[in-house]
Amino acid sequence: MTAPTHELKPVLVFDSGIGGLTVLREVRVLMPERGFIYVADDAGFPYGGWEEQALKERVIGLFGRLLADHDPEVCIIACNTAFTLVGADLRAAFPQMTFVGTVPAIKPAAERTRSGLVSVLATPGTVKRAYTRDLIQSFAQQCHVRLVGSENLARVAEAYIRGDAVSDEAVLTEIDQCFVEKEGRKTDIVVLACTHYPFMANLFRRLAPWPVDWLDPAEAIARRARTLVPQIADAVHPDNFDFAVFTSGNPDFATRRLMQGFGLSTR
């Protein structure tokens, strides 16, 4: 294999914390020739409780610096809360950059459900967005969609991903509203509308009162990103990327170890 005639630009994956690693994992499979920069805005985590204008200003300001520093090929916003609020503003502010967003997978859920009862497990920020309501209006009018905005689950997931002990009771308290029984029918699909949540899917399955399809959008996001990133023949994976940036500048030991497990050094 010959070296590429020019250096491939990296792919930047952005999340409020470390949940976006679920998306990074899938994107890497489809883009083995690309290097990756993972950006965690841990100084701003969690996004769910932010006032909207303040969060917009924060994310747009961050991207002004990130694009200047790293010049990526494409940016994947691996955060429902951020993209449903700031996606259009990012595209307007940086028209030269391609942004791939993460939105609640309401359309595929509506297409797959047999019972017509769908729940969307998200952060409070994602639940209250007009963007989320518009998705329901556009694609799921024939369904009964319950929006469940968990105040605590993103924090619980961060701890779980790092290997901390998490009580079944704490998790069940956050997911139990997803399960609806109505006229002999039961919820059969729960949309995981926060990229942190798929890391806990096996725990959710064990605690669920009945089996449901836990819908993770990461693979679909990866496929979309792949269509937007040029495939260059004979490209080799660069050795100067594959690192993580934390806006706090001070990730703890467990987080650094987790990044190493995903093949990322920490800066």
Side-chain angles (χ1 to χ4, degrees), residues 9 124 141 210 219 245 254:
K9 290 184 177 183
Q141 287 190 60
W210 59 78
E219 186 178 346
V245 175

Side-chain angles (χ1 to χ4, degrees), residues 240-256:
N240 55 332
F241 295 118
D242 296 311
F243 59 86
V245 175
F246 288 80
T247 56
S248 70
N250 188 34
D252 60 23
F253 174 76
T255 301
R256 294 196 302 272

Side-chain angles (χ1 to χ4, degrees), residues 105-114 118-119 143 188-189 191 215:
I106 290 167
K107 181 180 179 181
E111 292 169 347
R112 294 184 196 181
T113 181
R114 295 185 177 184
V118 172
S119 291
C143 299
D188 61 353
I189 295 182
V191 176
L215 196 55

Side-chain angles (χ1 to χ4, degrees), residues 19 25 27 34 70 119 121 170-171 177 198 205 223 236 251 264:
R25 181 170 55 194
V27 176
R34 292 281 169 170
H70 304 298
S119 291
L121 182 60
V171 175
Q177 291 186 50
R205 291 186 185 99
R223 290 197 303 268
V236 295
L264 301 172

Side-chain angles (χ1 to χ4, degrees), residues 22-39:
T22 59
V23 176
L24 174 69
R25 181 170 55 194
E26 297 295 333
V27 176
R28 271 182 157 170
V29 173
L30 299 184
M31 300 187 196
E33 81 285 5
R34 292 281 169 170
F36 290 85
I37 301 170
Y38 185 86
V39 179

